[in-house]
Amino acid sequence: MRAIILAAGLGLRLQLPPGEQFPKCLLQFDGVSLLERHLQMLETAGVTDVVLALGFQPGLVEAELKRINWPHPVEIVINPRFDLGSVLTVHTVADPLTRGGDVLLMDADVLYDERILNALVAGETVNRLLIDRDFEAGDEPVKLCLKDGVPVELRKQLAVNLEYDTIGESVGFFRFREETAQRFAQIVAGYIDSGRSNLPHEEAVRDLLLERSQVFDTADVTGAPWIEIDFPNDVVRARAEILPQLQPLVTVPR
């Protein structure tokens, strides 16, 4: 199983002063960067094949990797047009995405409990989505809608006449089987070829779900603490509300 962590963006919505911006995966909580948390929890879950998709200030992330001294090689892929949409970043990792085996596609700007990752990696080869039914309504969350257990929508804005029986927020982590990852890469390539490089990669995931060529299961992680960090208030909430609920990080014996 391979983990691809998307960490290329500028994080403009954090509203840091000019010249003080840095990749969001370097945000620290209780003295530990989001990147280090990702790597430690992946290793605990038995995932040591990791690809980092970088763009904005990659040298800072590489320096953090060196500081962490993670005992496994990390493949780094650079998206030089990180100012465009994340679908382009996914396109830059097409090779590791389609290299074989199950793939975890993970946003880097998420502070989360180990139960989230455990739900994603559990079991044999599978396509998997994560849903949190306890979410704040509004325009920002990416909603995952199911009907009879089948995904029928993955978007921030829902159609008025959409029929579903379950709704929640997508955690932003996806698991793809080998053949599904290959099909996803083809869809992403179609976005690039048609001039849609400025779109979020969730749009391509949505297309994959709605074409129904692959079967997905959904793990319900409602009750497990997590937060995607986009805005200054998200940082405040992460420190005050989410961090105290997290299980202590487990260090794998060397």
Side-chain angles (χ1 to χ4, degrees):
M1 190 181 299
R2 180 176 310 106
I4 299 177
I5 302 175
L6 304 178
L10 288 92
L12 289 177
R13 292 186 294 181
L14 281 182
Q15 300 176 9
L16 295 173
E20 296 183 19
Q21 294 173 333
F22 57 88
K24 285 193 288 183
C25 67
L26 301 183
L27 280 167
Q28 290 199 357
F29 298 91
D30 200 18
V32 182
S33 68
L34 289 178
L35 177 60
E36 184 172 2
R37 286 181 179 275
H38 273 296
L39 295 178
Q40 285 196 28
M41 284 199 282
L42 284 168
E43 186 178 31
T44 300
V47 181
T48 57
D49 184 355
V50 174
V51 179
L52 267 179
L54 306 180
F56 178 60
Q57 296 185 338
L60 294 181
V61 181
E62 293 182 41
E64 174 68 356
L65 272 177
K66 185 176 181 179
R67 186 196 68 80
I68 293 169
N69 195 28
W70 204 53
H72 310 284
V74 175
E75 181 178 351
I76 293 177
V77 181
I78 305 292
N79 171 17
R81 292 304 313 274
F82 54 83
D83 54 317
L84 296 178
S86 58
V87 73
L88 180 58
T89 300
V90 173
H91 186 58
T92 65
V93 293
D95 176 67
L97 182 63
T98 59
R99 195 174 290 159
D102 279 21
V103 175
L104 310 179
L105 189 67
M106 310 177 74
D107 287 338
D109 58 351
V110 182
L111 179 67
Y112 59 97
D113 189 79
E114 64 181 1
R115 284 170 285 176
I116 300 284
L117 184 58
N118 290 342
L120 190 66
V121 303
E124 300 299 321
T125 180
V126 69
N127 297 313
R128 181 165 292 145
L129 309 168
L130 301 180
I131 187 170
D132 182 354
R133 292 177 289 102
D134 183 14
F135 73 104
E136 295 181 6
D139 294 336
E140 189 59 30
V142 175
K143 289 89 173 173
L144 174 59
C145 300
L146 312 175
K147 185 172 177 58
D148 299 324
V150 177
V152 294
E153 187 56 286
L154 181 76
R155 247 185 189 167
K156 292 184 176 183
Q157 302 290 339
L158 302 181
V160 175
N161 59 349
L162 180 68
E163 295 185 4
Y164 57 87
D165 52 44
T166 305
I167 184 172
E169 183 175 0
S170 171
V171 175
F173 298 164
F174 306 98
R175 178 174 172 180
F176 302 129
R177 298 178 60 185
E178 181 174 336
E179 62 271 23
T180 307
Q182 293 174 352
R183 176 59 188 142
F184 178 57
Q186 292 172 352
I187 293 173
V188 168
Y191 271 65
I192 306 308
D193 292 342
S194 59
R196 293 178 288 168
S197 300
N198 62 321
L199 293 178
H201 67 283
E202 287 89 354
E203 285 295 300
V205 176
R206 175 181 184 267
D207 289 352
L208 175 66
L209 296 176
L210 296 187
E211 74 175 15
R212 306 286 177 83
S213 64
Q214 308 291 330
V215 176
F216 278 80
D217 74 21
T218 305
D220 192 328
V221 296
T222 304
W226 70 281
I227 187 170
E228 183 178 5
I229 300 171
D230 289 320
F231 301 98
N233 188 55
D234 294 333
V235 178
V236 175
R237 283 193 57 208
R239 291 197 170 111
E241 301 176 22
I242 305 301
L243 187 62
Q245 300 182 62
L246 302 184
Q247 298 289 333
L249 286 173
V250 177
T251 302
V252 176
R254 305 299 184 201

